[in-house]
Amino acid sequence: MLYRPFQVFLIVCASIATAPACADRTALTQSPAPAAEASATQAPKTTPFDGERAFEHVRAQVGFGPRPAGSAALEKTREYLIRELKSYGLKVTIDSFTPKTPKGRVGMKNVIAELPGETAATILICSHYDTKEFKDFVFLGANDSGSSTGAVLEIARVMAAAGPRKFTYQFVFFDGEEAFCEEWSECLDGLDNTYGSRHMVERLRAEKKLETIKAMILLDMVGDKDLTIPREDSSSQWLVEAIWSTATELGYRKEFPSRRFMIGDDDHMPFLRAGIPAVDVIDFEYGDGPGDNSYWHTAEDTLDKISARSLKIVGDVILLSLSKIEAQIR
Ligand SMILES: [Zn+2]
């Protein structure tokens, strides 16, 4: 991801010291945790999500090198995803499409693994798996998009091992999230991005299956060692509440602070525009300290900037929020 970082940061964290949006970060770093939170921290609920395993998925992706849409390295990444997902016992579908891009037609493939439930009503857990193409430096995308891809893989493993739930789950890996042009909205009247998620929504519409999708959870940039994921304002707020309240209960209020920000655009937006509830879980402060996003889309987005601990926190929070989300779907 993403889109106009400086605007986002002016809104979110113009001043750490004075902006109300950033007040709880200050409070959390300076004040002792309330008693309830402290006890939750001492005895956090956990899941079989293995942060080290998710981290190894990130290492494997980084090992393939830069992975832009249409590249041989992305094909290798896709083969890795398919191999892993099948090894969990999941049915894997490859959805191929060839959108018009600023580089002409580019072959892309969404990877979708399904865990059938008691009903056809479906919840999506998603990440993009391409990386942005840069000609003047080697962009490895450990965080963007290695981290979320590794986390969704590990969530898929844990859920497949646990067996069917009431809802059907699909683990979706989008191709072509990143823009080919340097800026997110610079080309194709703003449509040079989110190729995979837009394609999936159009396919669901054509197959008259949009109504079967009850919720879409998007992970993006979730591996930063200094994990900070504020509530995203374009997201469906009942999904935000389910996830962030779960994080608070688990003692992760620092990593999932209550302050809000607006990301602008990401793979959740095509689903929202189609009337499907969706949430973007994204840490857009990927840099050297609070409010700094200087590692994003640079040669600095490397394995040493992310951690198994952050991946584990995100995995646990998402997995333990699912029962709250399911309870609100009729
Ligand atoms: Zn990106």
Side-chain angles (χ1 to χ4, degrees), residues 45 123 165 167 169 238 242 246 249 317-329:
K45 288 186 211 162
I123 296 172
R165 298 171 70 103
F167 290 90
Y169 278 82
W238 68 272
T246 301
E249 287 158 20
V317 168
I318 296 301
L319 284 164
L320 292 170
S321 68
L322 295 180
S323 55
K324 279 189 193 179
I325 290 170
E326 290 178 354
Q328 292 180 73
I329 298 172

Side-chain angles (χ1 to χ4, degrees), residues 1-3 128 130-132 134 139 144-145 177-179 184 220-221 284 296-297 301:
M1 221 290 88
L2 188 276
Y3 184 63
H128 74 93
D130 62 308
T131 57
K132 186 164 172 64
F134 291 97
F139 180 67
D144 181 12
S145 60
E177 186 261 4
E178 299 286 3
W184 181 257
D220 197 0
M221 300 174 68
F284 206 50
W296 172 68
H297 285 185
D301 186 0

Side-chain angles (χ1 to χ4, degrees), residues 48-197:
F49 185 104
D50 183 340
E52 296 295 340
R53 205 167 169 141
F55 189 91
E56 290 308 310
H57 293 319
V58 185
R59 187 195 306 277
Q61 293 171 79
V62 167
F64 296 132
R67 309 174 294 286
S71 68
L74 195 63
E75 177 64 34
K76 283 185 188 158
T77 307
R78 188 158 46 239
E79 288 166 4
Y80 177 88
L81 296 179
I82 295 166
R83 197 162 57 240
E84 283 293 320
L85 292 162
K86 285 186 173 173
S87 78
Y88 309 154
L90 296 168
K91 190 183 100 185
V92 181
T93 306
I94 310 302
D95 185 11
S96 302
F97 56 106
T98 313
K100 200 174 115 188
T101 78
K103 289 174 73 174
R105 296 272 174 188
V106 174
M108 299 188 192
K109 293 176 180 176
N110 290 340
V111 178
I112 302 164
E114 183 168 291
L115 177 64
E118 293 167 19
T119 73
T122 301
I123 296 172
L124 308 178
I125 302 179
C126 313
S127 166
H128 74 93
Y129 72 103
D130 62 308
T131 57
K132 186 164 172 64
E133 183 172 48
F134 291 97
K135 302 252 192 282
D136 48 350
F137 63 92
V138 176
F139 180 67
L140 292 173
N143 200 25
D144 181 12
S145 60
S147 64
S148 51
T149 300
V152 175
L153 268 183
E154 178 59 3
I155 288 171
R157 184 189 69 83
V158 169
M159 292 186 69
R165 298 171 70 103
K166 178 181 171 190
F167 290 90
T168 291
Y169 278 82
Q170 288 185 350
F171 309 99
V172 183
F173 301 86
F174 296 120
D175 203 339
E177 186 261 4
E178 299 286 3
F180 287 89
C181 289
E182 188 168 335
E183 297 297 330
W184 181 257
S185 291
E186 178 184 348
C187 300
L188 299 182
D189 294 326
L191 292 178
D192 171 34
N193 52 61
T194 59
Y195 291 96
S197 50

